[in-house]
Amino acid sequence: MTSYSDVVREVISALDTSGVEYMVVGSFAASVYGVSRVTHAIDVVVALRLEEIPRLQKALGPEFFFDEVAAAEAVGRSDMFNVLHMDSGLKVDFWILGDKDFARNQFARRRSTPTWGVTGYVATPEDTVLSKLLWYKITPSDRQLSDIRDILIVEKGLLDYEYMKHWAHRLGVQDLYDKLIEET
């Protein structure tokens, strides 16, 4: 059976082959900087244009269920669509890069990182913390808090704390950010 890492490698390879700009986010990004854990989906932010959809579908190949209409609708709405890896059942959520300041800033700061046996673009640890704070604000989850704490502990002293504080304030998550920084 295909592993999570195998699927991540296939997705990164397909994105690179198709020329679609991307960054891995969410729990997979958190596992790069914190502690690895099993998740049900790979989250990837993509700067996908309508004309790139067929190239991405072709690059992913028959190993993935890909709904071209859902992808086009997601691009039009700046929303998300998903594809399914047929062998593993792992879902890949493609989030279309929006025009909000934080999303654009986060995408511009992404890092080319060797991980999962391949080099791919991953959100920075600071932006992963901030994104998980935003997700926690929307749908509180111990998993989000655990991922944040793990990153803050593993990357302690290496993070740009002023950057995180600035964006935590702008994003309305300053109180939770301050509490987690104090705890770690």
Side-chain angles (χ1 to χ4, degrees):
M1 182 163 199
T2 309
S3 72
Y4 288 117
S5 295
D6 292 336
V7 176
V8 172
R9 282 191 295 275
E10 289 180 44
V11 169
I12 287 172
S13 175
L15 288 162
D16 287 340
T17 298
S18 65
V20 175
E21 291 185 275
Y22 68 93
M23 76 176 165
V24 177
V25 296
S27 297
F28 271 85
S31 73
V32 171
Y33 307 113
V35 176
S36 185
R37 70 172 173 85
V38 176
T39 182
H40 300 291
I42 301 167
D43 294 308
V44 183
V45 173
V46 290
L48 183 64
R49 296 184 316 266
L50 283 173
E51 63 270 15
E52 295 172 319
I53 292 172
R55 283 197 320 255
L56 178 58
Q57 182 177 21
K58 181 179 179 186
L60 284 168
E63 294 83 16
F64 290 86
F65 174 78
F66 188 108
D67 183 337
E68 198 170 345
V69 172
E73 289 172 354
V75 169
R77 293 187 318 265
S78 290
D79 198 3
M80 66 83 68
F81 69 99
N82 54 53
V83 301
L84 184 66
H85 186 260
M86 302 301 282
D87 179 46
S88 66
L90 188 62
K91 184 175 67 149
V92 182
D93 291 334
F94 287 107
W95 298 86
I96 306 302
L97 177 63
D99 61 358
K100 293 185 178 175
D101 287 345
F102 177 64
R104 290 285 177 184
N105 187 67
Q106 180 184 28
F107 199 77
R109 289 171 37 89
R110 71 189 196 261
R111 292 182 180 171
S112 178
T113 306
T115 187
W116 311 296
V118 68
T119 297
Y121 288 97
V122 181
T124 66
E126 295 88 354
D127 290 321
T128 301
V129 165
L130 292 163
S131 292
K132 288 197 159 283
L133 286 167
L134 279 173
W135 277 108
Y136 182 83
K137 184 178 175 182
I138 296 166
T139 55
S141 159
D142 289 339
R143 285 186 177 180
Q144 301 292 358
L145 293 180
S146 178
D147 285 347
I148 295 166
R149 285 185 185 105
D150 289 344
I151 294 168
L152 293 175
I153 291 166
V154 171
E155 297 288 317
K156 191 171 187 107
L158 303 173
L159 298 166
D160 184 340
Y161 296 96
E162 287 302 315
Y163 171 84
M164 288 192 297
K165 186 172 187 156
H166 165 79
W167 278 102
H169 174 72
R170 283 191 62 185
L171 298 169
V173 294
Q174 176 84 44
D175 291 343
L176 182 56
Y177 168 78
D178 289 341
K179 179 180 180 238
L180 291 169
I181 288 293
E182 188 177 304
E183 289 176 6
T184 56

